[in-house]
Amino acid sequence: MNRAEVKRRQAKALGEILTWIVLSAAGSLTGNNGVTYIAAAYAIFLLMWLPVGGGLTDSLGRLLRNRYNKGQYKNALKMRSFTVVFQAVSGALGSVLLLVAAQPAAELVFKVRYSVLILMVLAPTVFLRSISSVLLGYFQGDGSELPTALAFCVRCLFWGSGIFLQAR
């Protein structure tokens, strides 16, 4: 692991710590029930996100870096275009599936019916996050880790601020 990857992983850990800080601040505003609704919705969101594009950023970055090192620029271009199309389709399907399955998942699996609306709001983010993962994989493949590290922090802050605004 090179120095840039270490810094990216540190930024990812910092982003996750910031998310938990914002979540605890929102929890003090909403009480135990509000945190329960948000946590159940986020768990269902992660269960949908992981099959759609959980490890895409790192794997695409490594594959593109290997292609560039071997001088296979046309192959890397084909891989990029195919990945964008595939992730757009799978992200859209994941968003629709999460939107349709929001009520059964929240009420039957977690028995938290008030998190259905939160899941419906989170449904389009499956698509957006799959596209952003492809773009972050491009940056990693080019060897620049800074956009990926910043994206982890910004993603966590946006998610945390969205929770904070819903709590008010």
Side-chain angles (χ1 to χ4, degrees):
M1 204 169 9
N2 61 15
R3 186 173 286 179
E5 286 185 52
V6 170
K7 291 195 183 277
R8 180 183 52 85
R9 289 179 191 257
Q10 289 173 346
K12 183 178 178 181
L14 176 68
E16 291 172 357
I17 290 169
L18 288 173
T19 300
W20 287 110
I21 289 171
V22 171
L23 183 62
S24 66
S28 67
L29 290 175
T30 60
N32 293 335
N33 290 338
V35 173
T36 302
Y37 305 148
I38 293 168
Y42 191 66
I44 295 170
F45 167 76
L46 284 180
L47 286 175
M48 179 55 65
W49 163 244
L50 287 176
V52 170
L56 177 75
T57 303
D58 289 331
S59 60
L60 181 64
R62 288 176 195 247
L63 286 172
L64 286 175
R65 192 175 307 147
N66 286 338
R67 297 289 191 265
Y68 289 141
N69 289 340
K70 292 178 182 177
Q72 300 174 346
Y73 300 111
K74 288 183 182 179
N75 193 357
L77 183 64
K78 286 180 185 179
M79 186 185 301
R80 281 183 173 188
S81 60
F82 177 75
T83 307
V84 167
V85 171
F86 180 75
Q87 280 305 114
V89 170
S90 65
L93 288 175
S95 292
V96 170
L97 183 65
L98 185 61
L99 191 64
V100 170
Q103 187 170 2
E107 290 181 357
L108 298 176
V109 175
F110 285 99
K111 295 180 177 42
V112 181
R113 66 178 180 181
Y114 295 112
S115 62
V116 173
L117 294 175
I118 298 171
L119 275 174
M120 289 181 175
V121 169
L122 282 176
T125 59
V126 173
F127 173 73
L128 296 173
R129 198 161 175 186
S130 65
I131 297 298
S132 72
S133 293
V134 172
L135 296 175
L136 292 176
Y138 289 174
F139 287 127
Q140 281 186 10
D142 289 338
S144 58
E145 302 282 341
L146 182 65
T148 307
L150 290 176
F152 281 125
C153 293
V154 170
R155 232 186 234 172
C156 295
L157 286 176
F158 280 150
W159 183 79
S161 64
I163 291 173
F164 192 72
L165 291 175
Q166 285 178 356
R168 290 186 157 219

